[in-house]
Amino acid sequence: MAYVELDVSQIYKKKKKRKEALPLLPDMAHSHGHSHGNHSHGHSHGHSHSHDHHDHDHDHGCDHDHAPAIKSVVPPLDLGCCSHCGKACPFEVLKWCAKCRRALYCSRECQVTAWPEHKKKKGKKPTGDEQANDTDSAAVPSTPQVPPGCKAATLPEAQLAVHDSQQLLEQGEQRGAALLCERALSCKDLPASVRASVGGNLGLAYSRLGFYRVAIGYLERALEDARQRSELARQGIMCSALGRSHGMLGEWSKTVEHGKALVAVAEEQGGGPGRQSVAYNILGHAQARFGLLTEAKASHDKELVLAKQSKEPMSKCRALGCLATTCARQGQYRLAAEFSRKQLELADEHDSIDRQLLAQKNLGEMFCCLGRRQEGLEILAAALATAEKRAADAAASTAAAEGEGAAIAASRVADVGRALASLGFVHTTMGEYEAALGVLQRCMTLVEPLGDDAVIANVCGFLGDAEAGLEHYQAAAELYERELALAKKVGTPVDEAKALAKLGRMRCALGDREAAVHAFDRHRAIADATASPALLEASQANAAALADKCDDNPKEALALHQQQAETAAAAGHFKGQLQALKAMARLHQRIGDAESQAACLEKLHQLAKDTGNAAMQAEGVTSC
C-alpha cells in the first residue's frame, strides 16, 4: 500500500466511529473504558469500593524538538492491508492477531486460512472465546512490523513521529498515536534515543487502549532509557503509566513500587510541593488498594503537608478526601469524619460542588457509622438533593443534546447514582435492609443505562448485601454472580476477588459446599497472585467461614479468625480486626469457653470505642 502525503493537522481532526470488533480478532482501537482521570473516578465503586479512589493518569507524551520544515508522511489512518489476502480495508475493520500484535486480518476466514503459516511465526490459533484485551497471551513485539504492503518509515519521518504521536496522545487519539509509533519503529538504523522515545509513546497509547501487558514492555524500556539519560520528567511519566498499567492488572505490589519511584523522582526533580503532593497521592492510593493501609495513611499525611505548602486549596481538599477514605477503610470512623468535615468546609469555601458532594457522602456515611444516624441521613439527603438538581439542570440544557453537553449530563446522573448508593450503604449498615433495597433499586435504574460496568457491578454488590441481610440468600448469590461477571469484564482482579468472597459466603449459607470452595479457591488464587495483605486477610476469613458454616469445625474456624485478626492488625485494618474478634467471641461461646469469649468482647468493645465504630461498640456492650 502506498503512503500518501498528509498534513498532520488533518490527522488530528480525524475521529472515526469505532465498529464492533470481531469476537476472535482484537481490534487495536478497542478501548475497555478504564478511564480514571482526575478525582471523580472510583467513588462510584461502592463502599468497600467507594474508599478505593483517586486513581490517576498523569501520562503525557514526550517533548522533543523537531524540524518544522519536514512534512509528516504517514499512512492514511483509515486504511490498512490484510496480512493474508492483501486487501486494503479501513482499520476499523482490520483486527490484530491477539498474541503477536503484528498480523492484521480483514475477516475470520483469512485468519483461519493463514494460521498454518502464521503459527510458525509464533501466532496464536484462533478460538471461539478470544477476548479483545487478551493481556495474558499478548506478547511484546521487539521490532513491531507495519501491515504488509506499507513501506518502512524513513529516519526523518520516525523522528517527526515522536512529536506527532505526542500531539495525538494529548488529543486523546491513542489509536492514531499507536499507528504512527508502530510505523516509526519499523525504520532501519533508528537511533536508540529516538527508539526509546517512540517506544515510550507507544506504551502510553497501548496502556490507554487497554493493552496493559503489551504497554508494560515498552514503558519499562522507556523508563530504563530515561534513567540512563537522567531525564527526570520522562521518568515520572513512565513511572506513572507503569503504575496505572500494573494496577489495572491487579498487580498492586508493582504499582506501589512505581509509586515509590515516582515520589523519589518528584523529590529529586524539585518541582515544588504541588508536584510532590501528587506523587504521594498516587503512592497512597496504590498502597491502599494493595492493603497497606497504615503506609497509605502516612503517604496521604505527607501529601496533605505538601498540599498546604503549595497553597493550592484543591490539592489540600484532595488530600483531606484521601485521608478520610483511607481512615474509613481502616475502620477509624472518628478520624474519617473529622477529615471529611474539613474537606467539606474547604469545598464550601471555594464553591467546589464536586468536592462538596464527595465530602458530604463520606461525612454522612461516617456519622451513621458513629451512631449519629439522624445527622448522617440529613447530610446524605442534602447531597442527593444537590446531585438531583444538577442532573435536572444538565438534562434541561440545550447543550446536553450531544457532544460535551451529553457527557456532562451523564456525569450528573452518575453523581445522583453515587449519592443513592451511599444512602443505600448506610441503610444496610444500620440493618435497615428494606429501605436499602428501595434506594438501591432506584439507583440501579439510573446507572444501568449509563453502561458503566464498574458502577453497575458495585450497585449489584450493594443490592446483594441488602438481600443477604434479609436472608434472601439465593437472590443475594445471583446478584453477586452478576457483580463477579462485570468485575471480570472490567478487568479489575481486586474487585473480582471481593465479589468471589461474598459469593462464597452465600454458597456457604445455602449449604452448597462445593460451590463455596470453588469461589474461595478462585479468591485465594487472586490473593496469591497479587500478594495483597487485604486479600490475604479476606482469604483467612473465607476459610474460617467454610470451616464454621459447612464443616461444623468451630476450633479450626477459631484458629483461622485468629490469623485474620493478626493479619488485619499488621495492615492497620481495624475494621477487619473487629470482624475477626466478633466471630471469635461467637465461636468461643459456641464451644463453651466463657473466659475467652469475655476477653474477645472486651477487646472488641475497646477497639470499637477507640475507632468510633458505634455498631460494634454497642454489640460488645450488649454481648458482655
Side-chain angles (χ1 to χ4, degrees), residues 261-284:
L262 181 61
V263 166
V265 167
E267 291 177 343
E268 185 180 352
Q269 195 173 6
R275 179 172 295 179
Q276 291 178 39
S277 76
V278 170
Y280 275 103
N281 177 277
I282 294 172
L283 174 59

mmCIF file of all heavy atoms in Angstrom, residues 261-284:
data_model
loop_
_atom_site.group_PDB
_atom_site.id
_atom_site.type_symbol
_atom_site.label_atom_id
_atom_site.label_comp_id
_atom_site.label_asym_id
_atom_site.label_seq_id
_atom_site.Cartn_x
_atom_site.Cartn_y
_atom_site.Cartn_z
ATOM 1 N N ALA A 261 8.948 5.020 43.258
ATOM 2 C CA ALA A 261 9.903 5.584 42.297
ATOM 3 C C ALA A 261 9.451 6.972 41.843
ATOM 4 O O ALA A 261 10.272 7.883 41.677
ATOM 5 C CB ALA A 261 10.048 4.655 41.089
ATOM 6 N N LEU A 262 8.147 7.136 41.657
ATOM 7 C CA LEU A 262 7.598 8.428 41.248
ATOM 8 C C LEU A 262 7.843 9.481 42.325
ATOM 9 O O LEU A 262 8.195 10.629 42.027
ATOM 10 C CB LEU A 262 6.107 8.287 40.967
ATOM 11 C CG LEU A 262 5.360 9.545 40.491
ATOM 12 C CD1 LEU A 262 5.941 10.046 39.178
ATOM 13 C CD2 LEU A 262 3.878 9.256 40.332
ATOM 14 N N VAL A 263 7.651 9.103 43.592
ATOM 15 C CA VAL A 263 7.916 10.029 44.701
ATOM 16 C C VAL A 263 9.391 10.435 44.715
ATOM 17 O O VAL A 263 9.728 11.618 44.879
ATOM 18 C CB VAL A 263 7.514 9.384 46.048
ATOM 19 C CG1 VAL A 263 8.086 10.169 47.217
ATOM 20 C CG2 VAL A 263 6.000 9.293 46.164
ATOM 21 N N ALA A 264 10.282 9.454 44.524
ATOM 22 C CA ALA A 264 11.720 9.740 44.515
ATOM 23 C C ALA A 264 12.077 10.702 43.380
ATOM 24 O O ALA A 264 12.872 11.639 43.563
ATOM 25 C CB ALA A 264 12.512 8.439 44.378
ATOM 26 N N VAL A 265 11.478 10.496 42.221
ATOM 27 C CA VAL A 265 11.730 11.375 41.070
ATOM 28 C C VAL A 265 11.222 12.783 41.354
ATOM 29 O O VAL A 265 11.905 13.777 41.089
ATOM 30 C CB VAL A 265 11.050 10.816 39.802
ATOM 31 C CG1 VAL A 265 11.037 11.859 38.684
ATOM 32 C CG2 VAL A 265 11.772 9.562 39.326
ATOM 33 N N ALA A 266 10.035 12.879 41.922
ATOM 34 C CA ALA A 266 9.451 14.194 42.216
ATOM 35 C C ALA A 266 10.304 14.959 43.221
ATOM 36 O O ALA A 266 10.497 16.174 43.087
ATOM 37 C CB ALA A 266 8.030 14.029 42.746
ATOM 38 N N GLU A 267 10.826 14.259 44.229
ATOM 39 C CA GLU A 267 11.666 14.924 45.232
ATOM 40 C C GLU A 267 13.009 15.334 44.638
ATOM 41 O O GLU A 267 13.519 16.419 44.930
ATOM 42 C CB GLU A 267 11.864 14.001 46.426
ATOM 43 C CG GLU A 267 10.588 13.794 47.238
ATOM 44 C CD GLU A 267 10.765 12.828 48.391
ATOM 45 O OE1 GLU A 267 11.777 12.075 48.375
ATOM 46 O OE2 GLU A 267 9.913 12.811 49.301
ATOM 47 N N GLU A 268 13.584 14.471 43.782
ATOM 48 C CA GLU A 268 14.866 14.795 43.157
ATOM 49 C C GLU A 268 14.711 15.918 42.142
ATOM 50 O O GLU A 268 15.586 16.776 41.998
ATOM 51 C CB GLU A 268 15.444 13.547 42.477
ATOM 52 C CG GLU A 268 16.834 13.759 41.891
ATOM 53 C CD GLU A 268 17.380 12.495 41.234
ATOM 54 O OE1 GLU A 268 16.746 11.430 41.366
ATOM 55 O OE2 GLU A 268 18.441 12.601 40.588
ATOM 56 N N GLN A 269 13.577 15.899 41.441
ATOM 57 C CA GLN A 269 13.332 16.893 40.399
ATOM 58 C C GLN A 269 13.121 18.285 40.999
ATOM 59 O O GLN A 269 13.415 19.297 40.372
ATOM 60 C CB GLN A 269 12.099 16.490 39.580
ATOM 61 C CG GLN A 269 11.957 17.223 38.266
ATOM 62 C CD GLN A 269 10.820 16.644 37.438
ATOM 63 O OE1 GLN A 269 10.081 15.778 37.895
ATOM 64 N NE2 GLN A 269 10.684 17.107 36.212
ATOM 65 N N GLY A 270 12.619 18.313 42.237
ATOM 66 C CA GLY A 270 12.420 19.598 42.895
ATOM 67 C C GLY A 270 11.388 20.464 42.203
ATOM 68 O O GLY A 270 11.564 21.675 42.068
ATOM 69 N N GLY A 271 10.304 19.830 41.773
ATOM 70 C CA GLY A 271 9.271 20.573 41.047
ATOM 71 C C GLY A 271 8.320 21.333 41.941
ATOM 72 O O GLY A 271 7.285 21.797 41.500
ATOM 73 N N GLY A 272 8.645 21.436 43.230
ATOM 74 C CA GLY A 272 7.778 22.158 44.138
ATOM 75 C C GLY A 272 6.857 21.229 44.889
ATOM 76 O O GLY A 272 6.649 20.072 44.506
ATOM 77 N N PRO A 273 6.274 21.710 45.978
ATOM 78 C CA PRO A 273 5.409 20.862 46.805
ATOM 79 C C PRO A 273 4.159 20.366 46.087
ATOM 80 O O PRO A 273 3.645 19.305 46.411
ATOM 81 C CB PRO A 273 5.054 21.762 47.991
ATOM 82 C CG PRO A 273 5.302 23.156 47.516
ATOM 83 C CD PRO A 273 6.425 23.060 46.539
ATOM 84 N N GLY A 274 3.676 21.139 45.113
ATOM 85 C CA GLY A 274 2.478 20.717 44.386
ATOM 86 C C GLY A 274 2.687 19.412 43.645
ATOM 87 O O GLY A 274 1.883 18.487 43.747
ATOM 88 N N ARG A 275 3.789 19.323 42.908
ATOM 89 C CA ARG A 275 4.084 18.107 42.145
ATOM 90 C C ARG A 275 4.371 16.933 43.085
ATOM 91 O O ARG A 275 3.960 15.804 42.834
ATOM 92 C CB ARG A 275 5.268 18.349 41.215
ATOM 93 C CG ARG A 275 5.677 17.145 40.394
ATOM 94 C CD ARG A 275 6.717 17.508 39.364
ATOM 95 N NE ARG A 275 6.195 18.438 38.369
ATOM 96 C CZ ARG A 275 6.921 18.920 37.359
ATOM 97 N NH1 ARG A 275 8.191 18.578 37.229
ATOM 98 N NH2 ARG A 275 6.385 19.753 36.500
ATOM 99 N N GLN A 276 5.078 17.210 44.163
ATOM 100 C CA GLN A 276 5.386 16.139 45.110
ATOM 101 C C GLN A 276 4.119 15.613 45.798
ATOM 102 O O GLN A 276 4.001 14.418 46.068
ATOM 103 C CB GLN A 276 6.374 16.657 46.161
ATOM 104 C CG GLN A 276 7.764 16.936 45.606
ATOM 105 C CD GLN A 276 8.702 17.485 46.658
ATOM 106 O OE1 GLN A 276 8.677 17.053 47.803
ATOM 107 N NE2 GLN A 276 9.535 18.446 46.276
ATOM 108 N N SER A 277 3.172 16.511 46.075
ATOM 109 C CA SER A 277 1.926 16.069 46.713
ATOM 110 C C SER A 277 1.150 15.127 45.802
ATOM 111 O O SER A 277 0.535 14.165 46.264
ATOM 112 C CB SER A 277 1.065 17.271 47.107
ATOM 113 O OG SER A 277 0.429 17.842 45.996
ATOM 114 N N VAL A 278 1.184 15.380 44.491
ATOM 115 C CA VAL A 278 0.522 14.490 43.529
ATOM 116 C C VAL A 278 1.175 13.109 43.553
ATOM 117 O O VAL A 278 0.499 12.076 43.517
ATOM 118 C CB VAL A 278 0.563 15.087 42.102
ATOM 119 C CG1 VAL A 278 0.093 14.062 41.075
ATOM 120 C CG2 VAL A 278 -0.299 16.338 42.015
ATOM 121 N N ALA A 279 2.513 13.083 43.622
ATOM 122 C CA ALA A 279 3.238 11.809 43.660
ATOM 123 C C ALA A 279 2.857 11.010 44.910
ATOM 124 O O ALA A 279 2.624 9.792 44.842
ATOM 125 C CB ALA A 279 4.742 12.059 43.626
ATOM 126 N N TYR A 280 2.788 11.676 46.056
ATOM 127 C CA TYR A 280 2.386 10.977 47.284
ATOM 128 C C TYR A 280 0.930 10.526 47.220
ATOM 129 O O TYR A 280 0.562 9.499 47.797
ATOM 130 C CB TYR A 280 2.612 11.873 48.505
ATOM 131 C CG TYR A 280 4.015 11.798 49.046
ATOM 132 C CD1 TYR A 280 4.937 12.809 48.789
ATOM 133 C CD2 TYR A 280 4.425 10.702 49.807
ATOM 134 C CE1 TYR A 280 6.236 12.728 49.276
ATOM 135 C CE2 TYR A 280 5.716 10.617 50.291
ATOM 136 C CZ TYR A 280 6.620 11.626 50.020
ATOM 137 O OH TYR A 280 7.907 11.540 50.498
ATOM 138 N N ASN A 281 0.100 11.282 46.514
ATOM 139 C CA ASN A 281 -1.296 10.880 46.330
ATOM 140 C C ASN A 281 -1.386 9.561 45.569
ATOM 141 O O ASN A 281 -2.119 8.646 45.958
ATOM 142 C CB ASN A 281 -2.059 11.976 45.580
ATOM 143 C CG ASN A 281 -3.491 11.603 45.291
ATOM 144 O OD1 ASN A 281 -3.773 10.918 44.325
ATOM 145 N ND2 ASN A 281 -4.398 12.060 46.134
ATOM 146 N N ILE A 282 -0.613 9.450 44.491
ATOM 147 C CA ILE A 282 -0.605 8.230 43.683
ATOM 148 C C ILE A 282 -0.074 7.051 44.499
ATOM 149 O O ILE A 282 -0.635 5.949 44.479
ATOM 150 C CB ILE A 282 0.240 8.437 42.412
ATOM 151 C CG1 ILE A 282 -0.424 9.486 41.510
ATOM 152 C CG2 ILE A 282 0.416 7.122 41.648
ATOM 153 C CD1 ILE A 282 0.423 9.904 40.334
ATOM 154 N N LEU A 283 1.009 7.288 45.251
ATOM 155 C CA LEU A 283 1.586 6.220 46.076
ATOM 156 C C LEU A 283 0.596 5.780 47.144
ATOM 157 O O LEU A 283 0.399 4.580 47.366
ATOM 158 C CB LEU A 283 2.879 6.705 46.726
ATOM 159 C CG LEU A 283 3.532 5.750 47.736
ATOM 160 C CD1 LEU A 283 3.876 4.420 47.074
ATOM 161 C CD2 LEU A 283 4.778 6.383 48.349
ATOM 162 N N GLY A 284 -0.051 6.722 47.802
ATOM 163 C CA GLY A 284 -1.016 6.380 48.845
ATOM 164 C C GLY A 284 -2.175 5.568 48.317
ATOM 165 O O GLY A 284 -2.630 4.604 48.953
#
